[in-house]
Amino acid sequence: MLRRRFLRTRLRNRQLLLSLFHGPALANRLVHRYEYRQRRVLMRSQPPSVQIEVTNQCNLRCVQCLRSNLDSSFRRGSMRFEEFVRIFRQFPYCHAVSFNGFGEPYLNRDLFRMLHLVHRARPHVNTVLFSHGGLLDEARARSTIAAKLKFLHVSLDAGSEESYARIRKGGDFDTVVQNVARLVQLKRELGSPYPLVGVAYTFMPENCEDPADAAMFVRLARELGVDFISNFSLLETSWGHTGKLG
């Protein structure tokens, strides 16, 4: 049911359809797909989608996250707006931009300026955020809608407060649920199709302890009225670091 609702919403959304029919971006995507299938080492096409880490800071310490489990020596901070502009301009044919890495994107003070820039410069581009949802208060929710963000994935990873507490250290389950519900309601009140809101569930030992947790998550998603559900499986990797996970 959520899948059908997501597809209906997307088909009604003319701006999202622009990403499919924008000439240069579509041509680049087709060439890229051909070169990828041919396993070309040197490609004429550009990446059809890019991921730009606008911050590596986060106010949670989630058990599955690399930055929580390793004693990392890398410097932490947020990308300046000018640096984002410089990077974004290098990919004129992309059809999707994700604002994620190992940080919480809402901690970047320039996030909404970045989103507005992408929408004004290339309205056909799909903008994507993954967030833990804890910082999505009413002010940020309204700014998110105004910035025409296309997709927002809220990483909930639990169907109950107990499972959530085992995973997202420093977060509050009820706050996130209330934030998602308010965003969905604000979209309705403002008559905005943006953003398509989904909740994400990553399967891991901490939420698989209770076999009913995933079913509770799906029921919660329906109650919240989100547009889609996304799910992932935990893949542990050291990313070249020598620290120990878990």
Side-chain angles (χ1 to χ4, degrees):
M1 180 177 178
L2 286 169
R3 176 71 176 174
R4 291 197 299 270
R5 183 194 302 166
F6 168 69
L7 291 174
R8 285 198 304 269
T9 304
R10 186 162 190 173
L11 287 172
R12 286 198 303 263
N13 193 328
R14 293 181 60 194
Q15 286 298 112
L16 288 177
L17 286 174
L18 283 174
S19 67
L20 299 177
F21 300 111
H22 184 265
L26 177 60
N28 177 76
R29 186 175 185 179
L30 293 175
V31 173
H32 183 274
R33 181 175 297 178
Y34 172 79
E35 292 179 327
Y36 179 80
R37 289 176 176 173
Q38 295 296 313
R39 298 187 177 183
R40 296 280 179 85
V41 177
L42 297 177
M43 304 175 76
R44 295 177 58 192
S45 60
Q46 290 194 7
S49 61
V50 295
Q51 179 175 332
I52 304 175
E53 185 179 47
V54 296
T55 184
N56 60 11
Q57 299 182 98
C58 188
N59 60 323
L60 301 188
R61 291 186 61 82
C62 304
V63 296
Q64 79 277 21
C65 184
L66 175 70
R67 67 191 307 284
S68 301
N69 288 293
L70 295 178
D71 183 19
S72 302
S73 58
F74 58 82
R75 187 175 63 181
R76 300 182 183 183
S78 294
M79 180 179 291
R80 294 179 295 106
F81 176 74
E82 293 76 17
E83 185 68 9
F84 175 83
V85 173
R86 186 186 68 81
I87 295 172
F88 176 63
R89 286 176 175 171
Q90 295 178 47
F91 301 96
Y93 303 120
C94 70
H95 68 84
V97 178
S98 173
F99 291 71
N100 286 92
F102 285 114
E104 166 56 47
Y106 281 109
L107 285 173
N108 189 312
R109 297 178 181 178
D110 289 327
L111 175 64
F112 300 116
R113 289 182 67 195
M114 297 171 181
L115 288 169
H116 278 292
L117 168 75
V118 175
H119 181 70
R120 287 196 305 268
R122 302 177 208 161
H124 63 279
V125 169
N126 287 329
T127 44
V128 183
L129 279 187
F130 283 81
S131 169
H132 60 59
L135 300 176
L136 192 59
D137 55 19
E138 183 172 349
R140 289 191 178 95
R142 290 185 179 276
S143 295
T144 299
I145 295 171
K148 299 294 192 298
L149 173 69
K150 305 293 175 51
F151 294 92
L152 175 63
H153 299 249
V154 178
S155 301
L156 194 56
D157 296 331
S160 68
E161 187 174 357
E162 292 74 22
S163 293
Y164 184 89
R166 288 194 294 268
I167 297 168
R168 299 203 163 267
K169 306 297 183 181
D172 184 83
F173 181 78
D174 289 337
T175 296
V176 176
V177 170
Q178 292 168 12
N179 288 348
V180 173
R182 179 173 51 236
L183 176 60
V184 172
Q185 182 60 34
L186 282 172
K187 281 179 53 184
R188 292 184 185 135
E189 292 176 1
L190 297 172
S192 174
Y194 303 107
L196 295 183
V197 181
V199 285
Y201 192 95
T202 300
F203 289 92
M204 63 188 86
E206 287 76 10
N207 56 22
C208 289
E209 292 181 6
D210 182 0
D213 190 71
M216 294 168 63
F217 170 82
V218 174
R219 286 197 296 270
L220 176 61
R222 285 181 174 176
E223 292 171 2
L224 290 172
V226 297
D227 298 296
F228 64 94
I229 288 175
S230 52
N231 64 277
F232 308 92
S233 295
L234 179 61
L235 174 65
E236 289 191 351
T237 176
S238 67
W239 288 74
H241 292 271
T242 56
K244 184 179 179 181
L245 285 171

